[in-house]
Short mmCIF file of all heavy atoms in Angstrom, two decimals:
data_model
loop_
_atom_site.label_atom_id
_atom_site.label_comp_id
_atom_site.label_asym_id
_atom_site.label_seq_id
_atom_site.Cartn_x
_atom_site.Cartn_y
_atom_site.Cartn_z
N LEU A 54 -58.00 -17.47 -87.09
CA LEU A 54 -57.90 -17.12 -85.69
C LEU A 54 -59.25 -16.61 -85.17
O LEU A 54 -59.84 -15.74 -85.78
CB LEU A 54 -56.86 -16.01 -85.48
CG LEU A 54 -55.43 -16.32 -85.92
CD1 LEU A 54 -54.58 -15.07 -85.75
CD2 LEU A 54 -54.87 -17.46 -85.09
N ASP A 55 -59.74 -17.19 -84.11
CA ASP A 55 -60.93 -16.66 -83.44
C ASP A 55 -60.45 -15.47 -82.63
O ASP A 55 -59.34 -15.43 -82.11
CB ASP A 55 -61.53 -17.70 -82.48
CG ASP A 55 -62.08 -18.90 -83.22
OD1 ASP A 55 -62.56 -18.73 -84.36
OD2 ASP A 55 -62.05 -20.00 -82.64
N THR A 56 -61.29 -14.48 -82.51
CA THR A 56 -60.91 -13.26 -81.82
C THR A 56 -60.51 -13.54 -80.38
O THR A 56 -59.50 -13.00 -79.91
CB THR A 56 -62.05 -12.25 -81.83
OG1 THR A 56 -62.87 -12.44 -82.98
CG2 THR A 56 -61.55 -10.85 -81.85
N ALA A 57 -61.25 -14.39 -79.70
CA ALA A 57 -60.95 -14.66 -78.28
C ALA A 57 -59.63 -15.39 -78.07
O ALA A 57 -58.94 -15.15 -77.11
CB ALA A 57 -62.10 -15.47 -77.66
N ASP A 58 -59.29 -16.26 -78.99
CA ASP A 58 -58.09 -17.06 -78.84
C ASP A 58 -56.90 -16.57 -79.65
O ASP A 58 -55.82 -17.14 -79.58
CB ASP A 58 -58.37 -18.51 -79.28
CG ASP A 58 -59.32 -19.22 -78.33
OD1 ASP A 58 -59.32 -18.86 -77.15
OD2 ASP A 58 -60.02 -20.12 -78.81
N SER A 59 -57.05 -15.51 -80.40
CA SER A 59 -56.00 -15.09 -81.32
C SER A 59 -54.70 -14.75 -80.61
O SER A 59 -53.63 -15.09 -81.09
CB SER A 59 -56.47 -13.92 -82.18
OG SER A 59 -56.71 -12.80 -81.39
N THR A 60 -54.77 -14.05 -79.48
CA THR A 60 -53.56 -13.67 -78.78
C THR A 60 -52.80 -14.89 -78.30
O THR A 60 -51.61 -15.01 -78.49
CB THR A 60 -53.89 -12.75 -77.56
OG1 THR A 60 -54.64 -11.64 -78.06
CG2 THR A 60 -52.63 -12.27 -76.90
N ARG A 61 -53.50 -15.84 -77.69
CA ARG A 61 -52.89 -17.06 -77.20
C ARG A 61 -52.30 -17.88 -78.37
O ARG A 61 -51.22 -18.42 -78.27
CB ARG A 61 -53.88 -17.89 -76.40
CG ARG A 61 -53.26 -19.10 -75.75
CD ARG A 61 -54.15 -19.81 -74.83
NE ARG A 61 -55.57 -19.70 -75.20
CZ ARG A 61 -56.48 -20.58 -74.89
NH1 ARG A 61 -56.16 -21.62 -74.19
NH2 ARG A 61 -57.72 -20.42 -75.24
N GLN A 62 -53.03 -17.96 -79.46
CA GLN A 62 -52.59 -18.74 -80.60
C GLN A 62 -51.36 -18.08 -81.25
O GLN A 62 -50.43 -18.76 -81.64
CB GLN A 62 -53.72 -18.91 -81.61
CG GLN A 62 -54.79 -19.86 -81.10
CD GLN A 62 -56.01 -19.87 -82.01
OE1 GLN A 62 -56.15 -19.03 -82.88
NE2 GLN A 62 -56.88 -20.82 -81.75
N ARG A 63 -51.39 -16.76 -81.38
CA ARG A 63 -50.24 -16.08 -81.94
C ARG A 63 -49.00 -16.30 -81.07
O ARG A 63 -47.91 -16.55 -81.60
CB ARG A 63 -50.53 -14.58 -82.10
CG ARG A 63 -51.17 -14.25 -83.43
CD ARG A 63 -51.28 -12.77 -83.64
NE ARG A 63 -52.61 -12.43 -83.16
CZ ARG A 63 -52.88 -11.38 -82.39
NH1 ARG A 63 -51.96 -10.56 -82.04
NH2 ARG A 63 -54.11 -11.14 -81.98
N ALA A 64 -49.18 -16.25 -79.77
CA ALA A 64 -48.07 -16.49 -78.86
C ALA A 64 -47.55 -17.91 -79.01
O ALA A 64 -46.35 -18.16 -79.00
CB ALA A 64 -48.50 -16.20 -77.41
N ALA A 65 -48.49 -18.87 -79.17
CA ALA A 65 -48.08 -20.27 -79.34
C ALA A 65 -47.32 -20.46 -80.63
O ALA A 65 -46.32 -21.17 -80.66
CB ALA A 65 -49.33 -21.17 -79.33
N ILE A 66 -47.78 -19.81 -81.68
CA ILE A 66 -47.09 -19.92 -82.96
C ILE A 66 -45.72 -19.28 -82.91
O ILE A 66 -44.74 -19.84 -83.38
CB ILE A 66 -47.96 -19.31 -84.08
CG1 ILE A 66 -49.20 -20.19 -84.30
CG2 ILE A 66 -47.16 -19.18 -85.37
CD1 ILE A 66 -50.26 -19.57 -85.16
N GLU A 67 -45.64 -18.12 -82.30
CA GLU A 67 -44.32 -17.45 -82.13
C GLU A 67 -43.36 -18.35 -81.35
O GLU A 67 -42.20 -18.50 -81.71
CB GLU A 67 -44.48 -16.11 -81.40
CG GLU A 67 -45.21 -15.05 -82.19
CD GLU A 67 -44.46 -14.63 -83.45
OE1 GLU A 67 -43.22 -14.64 -83.43
OE2 GLU A 67 -45.12 -14.32 -84.42
N HIS A 68 -43.87 -18.95 -80.29
CA HIS A 68 -43.03 -19.85 -79.47
C HIS A 68 -42.60 -21.06 -80.30
O HIS A 68 -41.43 -21.48 -80.27
CB HIS A 68 -43.79 -20.30 -78.23
CG HIS A 68 -43.01 -21.27 -77.37
ND1 HIS A 68 -41.91 -20.87 -76.68
CD2 HIS A 68 -43.19 -22.59 -77.14
CE1 HIS A 68 -41.42 -21.94 -76.03
NE2 HIS A 68 -42.20 -22.98 -76.30
N ALA A 69 -43.51 -21.66 -81.03
CA ALA A 69 -43.20 -22.83 -81.86
C ALA A 69 -42.16 -22.48 -82.91
O ALA A 69 -41.23 -23.23 -83.18
CB ALA A 69 -44.45 -23.40 -82.50
N MET A 70 -42.33 -21.31 -83.52
CA MET A 70 -41.36 -20.89 -84.53
C MET A 70 -39.99 -20.66 -83.94
O MET A 70 -38.98 -20.99 -84.54
CB MET A 70 -41.84 -19.60 -85.22
CG MET A 70 -43.05 -19.76 -86.06
SD MET A 70 -42.68 -20.90 -87.39
CE MET A 70 -44.33 -21.29 -87.91
N SER A 71 -39.95 -20.11 -82.73
CA SER A 71 -38.63 -19.90 -82.10
C SER A 71 -37.99 -21.22 -81.74
O SER A 71 -36.77 -21.31 -81.77
CB SER A 71 -38.78 -19.01 -80.86
OG SER A 71 -39.41 -19.71 -79.81
N LEU A 72 -38.78 -22.24 -81.43
CA LEU A 72 -38.21 -23.57 -81.16
C LEU A 72 -37.66 -24.18 -82.44
O LEU A 72 -36.61 -24.81 -82.42
CB LEU A 72 -39.27 -24.51 -80.57
CG LEU A 72 -39.74 -24.21 -79.17
CD1 LEU A 72 -40.86 -25.18 -78.78
CD2 LEU A 72 -38.60 -24.28 -78.18
N HIS A 73 -38.39 -24.01 -83.53
CA HIS A 73 -37.98 -24.63 -84.78
C HIS A 73 -36.89 -23.83 -85.48
O HIS A 73 -36.04 -24.36 -86.11
CB HIS A 73 -39.17 -24.77 -85.71
CG HIS A 73 -38.83 -25.49 -86.98
ND1 HIS A 73 -38.57 -26.83 -86.99
CD2 HIS A 73 -38.66 -25.04 -88.24
CE1 HIS A 73 -38.28 -27.19 -88.24
NE2 HIS A 73 -38.33 -26.13 -89.00
N ASN A 74 -36.92 -22.53 -85.34
CA ASN A 74 -36.04 -21.65 -86.07
C ASN A 74 -35.47 -20.60 -85.11
O ASN A 74 -35.79 -19.44 -85.24
CB ASN A 74 -36.85 -20.94 -87.18
CG ASN A 74 -36.26 -21.19 -88.52
OD1 ASN A 74 -35.13 -21.63 -88.64
ND2 ASN A 74 -37.06 -20.95 -89.53
N PRO A 75 -34.60 -20.99 -84.17
CA PRO A 75 -34.09 -20.02 -83.23
C PRO A 75 -33.21 -18.99 -83.92
O PRO A 75 -32.61 -19.26 -84.96
CB PRO A 75 -33.24 -20.89 -82.29
CG PRO A 75 -32.90 -22.10 -83.05
CD PRO A 75 -34.03 -22.30 -84.04
N THR A 76 -33.17 -17.79 -83.33
CA THR A 76 -32.38 -16.75 -83.97
C THR A 76 -30.89 -16.96 -83.74
O THR A 76 -30.08 -16.50 -84.53
CB THR A 76 -32.78 -15.37 -83.41
OG1 THR A 76 -32.66 -15.39 -81.98
CG2 THR A 76 -34.20 -15.01 -83.77
N SER A 77 -30.52 -17.68 -82.72
CA SER A 77 -29.11 -18.01 -82.53
C SER A 77 -29.03 -19.38 -81.85
O SER A 77 -29.97 -19.80 -81.18
CB SER A 77 -28.39 -16.98 -81.69
OG SER A 77 -28.78 -17.09 -80.36
N GLU A 78 -27.92 -20.08 -82.03
CA GLU A 78 -27.75 -21.39 -81.46
C GLU A 78 -27.74 -21.34 -79.95
O GLU A 78 -28.09 -22.35 -79.28
CB GLU A 78 -26.44 -22.02 -81.93
CG GLU A 78 -26.52 -22.49 -83.35
CD GLU A 78 -25.32 -23.32 -83.74
OE1 GLU A 78 -24.60 -23.77 -82.87
OE2 GLU A 78 -25.12 -23.50 -84.94
N SER A 79 -27.40 -20.20 -79.35
CA SER A 79 -27.36 -20.12 -77.89
C SER A 79 -28.79 -20.19 -77.32
O SER A 79 -28.92 -20.45 -76.14
CB SER A 79 -26.71 -18.82 -77.46
OG SER A 79 -27.42 -17.71 -77.94
N GLU A 80 -29.83 -19.96 -78.14
CA GLU A 80 -31.20 -20.07 -77.65
C GLU A 80 -31.71 -21.50 -77.58
O GLU A 80 -32.76 -21.74 -77.04
CB GLU A 80 -32.13 -19.25 -78.57
CG GLU A 80 -31.88 -17.75 -78.49
CD GLU A 80 -32.81 -16.99 -79.40
OE1 GLU A 80 -33.82 -17.55 -79.84
OE2 GLU A 80 -32.50 -15.83 -79.68
N ILE A 81 -30.98 -22.44 -78.14
CA ILE A 81 -31.40 -23.84 -78.12
C ILE A 81 -30.97 -24.43 -76.81
O ILE A 81 -29.76 -24.47 -76.49
CB ILE A 81 -30.79 -24.62 -79.30
CG1 ILE A 81 -31.19 -23.99 -80.63
CG2 ILE A 81 -31.26 -26.09 -79.24
CD1 ILE A 81 -30.49 -24.58 -81.81
N PRO A 82 -31.89 -24.92 -75.96
CA PRO A 82 -31.50 -25.47 -74.68
C PRO A 82 -30.65 -26.71 -74.84
O PRO A 82 -30.91 -27.54 -75.69
CB PRO A 82 -32.84 -25.80 -74.01
CG PRO A 82 -33.93 -25.42 -74.96
CD PRO A 82 -33.31 -24.96 -76.21
N GLY A 83 -29.60 -26.84 -73.99
CA GLY A 83 -28.76 -28.03 -73.99
C GLY A 83 -27.96 -28.23 -75.26
O GLY A 83 -27.64 -29.33 -75.60
N ASN A 84 -27.65 -27.17 -75.98
CA ASN A 84 -27.00 -27.30 -77.28
C ASN A 84 -25.54 -26.95 -77.22
O ASN A 84 -24.91 -26.94 -78.25
CB ASN A 84 -27.73 -26.42 -78.28
CG ASN A 84 -27.45 -26.88 -79.70
OD1 ASN A 84 -27.26 -28.05 -79.95
ND2 ASN A 84 -27.41 -25.95 -80.61
N SER A 85 -24.97 -26.70 -76.06
CA SER A 85 -23.56 -26.28 -76.03
C SER A 85 -22.62 -27.38 -76.47
O SER A 85 -21.62 -27.11 -77.12
CB SER A 85 -23.21 -25.80 -74.61
OG SER A 85 -23.33 -26.86 -73.71
#
Side-chain angles (χ1 to χ4, degrees):
L54 300 175
D55 294 328
T56 332
D58 292 332
S59 65
T60 305
R61 184 171 31 153
Q62 289 171 348
R63 272 187 267 134
I66 292 168
E67 293 295 327
H68 178 69
M70 292 298 164
S71 71
L72 290 176
H73 184 72
N74 238 343
T76 55
S77 74
E78 286 189 16
S79 62
E80 292 180 17
I81 302 172
N84 201 32
S85 62

